[in-house]
Amino acid sequence: YEGTAGDLLDAADIAASSIRQHRDSSVVHEYDSALVARARLRYELRETIRGVQRFGRLEVHYQPQVDVARGRLIGLEALVRWRHPVYGLVGPAMFVPQAESSGRIFELDMHVLELVCHDIMAWRARGLEVAPVALNFSRASLMHVQVFARLAQVLEATGVPGALLEFEVTESQLLDSPTLLHQ
């Protein structure tokens, strides 16, 4: 094995976790530095969602949606970023697939929803007029059995009117599940 003692321990932790998930003793797994890096990223993302500041924080940036003809703001799109202590500002292409593959996408989407709702309430507390905010939600989150209960819980806890939120799903996500289009 080439690498530091810490790398070796990380690979051992990943192997032990994998063994717990895969009971088939005939399967052989190789643990290289890329696998270790992905596992570390998944772990750090999970801890970030839980609020562990050591691994950075998720923050929401807002892209305005403007009615050019009238010259007014008609909405905002919430864009999540991960402010990582080592990598800086990380875009969703680097961490959303990790959340999806590890089964943590619902937690991530709910965390972003809470951040957006807190921002909306802060703007309203300052007397600002708030335009509807669009959030990108994964298909898995929209299909999750707890989505409506959690959404109601967040809205009640923050006092955000539901009319100020819009949920977007990309066309590619819908096309991945054609049976949903027929229902």
Side-chain angles (χ1 to χ4, degrees), residues 3-165:
T4 67
D7 293 340
L8 183 59
L9 289 172
D10 287 342
D13 284 343
I14 292 166
S17 175
S18 179
I19 289 169
R20 285 190 294 273
Q21 292 174 357
H22 304 286
R23 299 282 183 206
D24 185 356
S25 61
S26 65
V27 175
V28 176
H29 295 277
E30 186 174 322
Y31 299 93
D32 63 5
S33 59
L35 181 62
V36 171
R38 282 192 304 274
R40 181 180 300 278
L41 188 65
R42 278 193 303 271
Y43 170 77
E44 289 177 358
L45 178 60
R46 182 186 75 215
E47 295 302 301
T48 299
I49 293 169
R50 289 181 177 167
V52 176
Q53 296 293 311
R54 181 176 76 188
F55 300 115
R57 69 182 185 284
L58 294 174
E59 48 187 60
V60 180
H61 298 243
Y62 295 92
Q63 179 173 303
Q65 299 169 337
V66 178
D67 179 340
V68 178
R70 294 188 178 142
R72 64 183 198 102
L73 179 70
I74 58 171
L76 299 168
E77 183 176 2
L79 307 171
V80 65
R81 301 295 184 260
W82 181 5
R83 186 156 310 272
H84 192 277
V86 175
Y87 306 119
L89 198 59
V90 178
M94 291 297 295
F95 63 89
V96 169
Q98 297 298 323
E100 289 172 337
S101 68
S102 66
R104 302 226 179 263
I105 192 66
F106 182 69
E107 290 175 56
L108 176 63
D109 284 346
M110 289 297 115
H111 185 76
V112 173
L113 172 65
E114 290 173 5
L115 292 173
V116 167
C117 286
H118 286 291
D119 285 346
I120 289 172
M121 291 313 295
W123 298 331
R124 291 181 73 179
R126 286 190 240 147
L128 299 174
E129 184 178 333
V130 180
V133 178
L135 296 98
N136 293 311
F137 254 47
S138 72
R139 184 185 69 226
S141 291
L142 291 172
M143 301 298 293
H144 195 280
V145 296
Q146 291 292 315
V147 69
F148 294 115
R150 287 287 304 277
L151 178 59
Q153 184 181 44
V154 171
L155 292 178
E156 184 177 332
T158 60
V160 170
L164 289 179
L165 298 173

Side-chain angles (χ1 to χ4, degrees), residues 139 143 169-183:
R139 184 185 69 226
M143 301 298 293
V169 179
T170 64
E171 293 85 0
S172 63
Q173 287 182 331
L174 289 174
L175 292 176
D176 286 345
S177 184
T179 56
L180 290 176
L181 296 175
H182 298 291
Q183 293 179 355

